[in-house]
Amino acid sequence: MNNKPKIMQHCVEAYLNIGGPATEYLLLMNSPLNDKFQFDPLLQRVAPHGINLALLRDMIAQIKKVKPDVVHVRGLHSEGFYGLLAARLAGVKKVVLCVHGTYTDSLNVGAFKKFIYGKLIEPFTLRNADLVYCVCDFAAKRPYIYQHTNHLYGFIHNAAPDYSMYNKEESRLKIRTELGIGPDEIVAVTVGRVTFGKGHKTLVDAIKLLETRKYNIRYLVVGEGDYLNELQTQLADEIKSKQVILLGQRTDVRDILFASDIFIFPTLHENLSIALLEACAAGLAIIASNVGGNPEVIQHGKTGIMIPPRNAEKLANAILALVRNPEKREKLAAQAQENAKTNFSQEKIFKEIETMYNSVLMQKKT
């Protein structure tokens, strides 16, 4: 007889290969914690928009079939609201909520939506969870989070991947050959949703500044988003000359990172980016904006270079410093990789999650 506690892992099915919540969902579902807990999926079949009673009924049916001890909900926004509401309507006694971000941080939504989510939907979700934790210390200390939370556990960082078993040189050669990039060319890459909020306008301006300094740097942009058309217009000449290569959504991000030398992350707001941790694990020199949880991963001058957000001049200078100084580039890359192995290892994060689960399960007995 299986006496392991049952924990349903919530994820939006449409996002299974995209973004931090889905990455952490897949990591946990296939983790060694399966020896101590029974994990079952709670899938939102569609990304929720507005009121979707059919979606809610389907999620409730999934929960009632498993009868879990805990439902682990990921995210605020509509996803978190549906996950928590389904769990409560299905009679689940314990709901854990992981905060990856908030709707109020979005830069491309209207005031009305921000009001509805910021004043009603997200506070409701936070207040009605039995335990709330964030993916970084920065988020856990935000008044918006702790003022609406009855039991704020604190933070558990996202885990970095382990790339030690992969052949970096083989991947590097494969990707560079595919893209027509020489073995000695310097390649800078950015990975993530192509949006204004991720700092792509700053990246565009930095590329333009560096062109005037006659440095031959190749740029890879991985991802899709609502800023893509504008980026294509602004960098039309650079794309035509293949100085900038737009790769869209890819399933071989690890190989692309291995093929690169510098990771650029000029985001305007952030919690704890999986892409940033992946770049550290892949052994890249990092340039990141000094916002959100980024400083919890990158220490300026030790594991990367931190720059102010929205500052193309600082970004261009940081890129140039790494291009000009291969020894510095390699040293920062090695230290970032070691930091990922030590402070963001899966073993460490899984232990913290196990402790958190036991904490919420113990609440059941009091």
Side-chain angles (χ1 to χ4, degrees), residues 275-340:
L276 180 59
L277 291 172
E278 289 173 340
C280 292
L284 273 70
I286 312 288
I287 303 170
S289 52
N290 191 9
V291 298
N294 288 354
E296 295 171 43
V297 180
I298 302 301
Q299 294 175 278
H300 181 68
K302 183 176 181 181
T303 56
I305 297 175
M306 301 296 287
I307 59 169
R310 301 174 187 261
N311 194 320
E313 182 71 32
K314 293 282 188 182
L315 176 54
N317 288 340
I319 295 170
L320 198 55
L322 293 177
V323 170
R324 285 174 167 171
N325 192 335
E327 289 184 1
K328 180 178 182 179
R329 191 169 70 237
E330 291 170 10
K331 183 178 179 181
L332 290 177
Q335 291 176 161
Q337 190 173 50
E338 183 58 33
N339 182 45

Side-chain angles (χ1 to χ4, degrees), residues 110-294:
F112 178 72
K113 272 193 173 182
K114 279 196 175 184
F115 175 83
I116 292 296
Y117 280 89
K119 298 297 184 181
L120 299 174
I121 293 176
E122 292 188 339
F124 173 87
T125 307
L126 287 163
R127 281 194 298 268
N128 284 278
D130 296 285
L131 181 148
V132 175
Y133 75 95
C134 301
V135 295
C136 61
D137 188 34
F138 162 80
K141 289 178 177 175
R142 296 180 68 179
Y144 179 79
I145 300 298
Y146 65 71
Q147 287 175 0
H148 296 297
T149 303
N150 295 320
H151 185 175
L152 180 60
Y153 185 79
F155 71 93
I156 300 174
H157 284 136
N158 292 326
D162 180 3
Y163 289 157
S164 59
M165 71 291 292
Y166 297 102
N167 187 322
K168 182 172 182 176
E169 291 307 314
E170 184 178 289
S171 295
R172 186 177 180 90
L173 177 61
K174 180 187 76 172
I175 294 295
R176 286 190 171 226
T177 300
E178 173 194 329
L179 300 178
I181 298 172
D184 297 324
E185 291 187 81
I186 299 297
V187 175
V189 63
T190 183
V191 178
R193 287 177 291 113
V194 182
T195 65
F196 182 83
K198 288 295 183 182
H200 284 85
K201 174 63 167 63
T202 307
L203 175 61
V204 168
D205 293 342
I207 291 172
K208 295 290 188 181
L209 284 171
L210 286 170
E211 283 179 352
T212 65
R213 302 177 192 182
K214 308 299 182 186
Y215 276 86
N216 184 26
I217 307 164
R218 304 289 286 273
Y219 301 90
L220 307 181
V221 178
V222 181
E224 297 175 349
D226 56 23
Y227 196 75
L228 185 58
N229 288 339
E230 192 163 349
L231 185 144
Q232 288 175 310
T233 300
Q234 293 169 333
L235 295 176
D237 291 339
E238 291 82 0
I239 293 169
K240 185 177 180 180
S241 68
K242 295 190 176 180
Q243 181 191 7
V244 175
I245 303 175
L246 305 183
L247 295 175
Q249 204 71 46
R250 299 278 294 223
T251 59
D252 56 349
V253 171
R254 180 189 65 243
D255 292 336
I256 293 168
L257 293 174
F258 284 165
S260 305
D261 304 291
I262 301 168
F263 184 79
I264 301 175
F265 195 55
T267 182
L268 308 186
H269 61 86
E270 197 63 42
N271 282 285
L272 196 78
S273 167
I274 295 293
L276 180 59
L277 291 172
E278 289 173 340
C280 292
L284 273 70
I286 312 288
I287 303 170
S289 52
N290 191 9
V291 298
N294 288 354

Side-chain angles (χ1 to χ4, degrees), residues 62-108:
Q62 291 181 61
I63 295 168
K64 286 186 173 180
K65 182 178 180 180
V66 172
K67 297 179 182 177
D69 298 290
V70 177
V71 168
H72 187 163
V73 176
R74 285 180 173 78
L76 287 173
H77 306 258
S78 295
E79 300 93 90
F81 174 74
Y82 271 83
L84 180 131
L85 189 59
R88 288 305 185 206
L89 292 174
V92 176
K93 293 183 178 179
K94 295 296 173 185
V95 178
V96 168
L97 173 67
C98 177
V99 177
H100 289 262
T102 79
Y103 206 84
T104 58
D105 289 330
S106 300
L107 301 179
N108 59 344

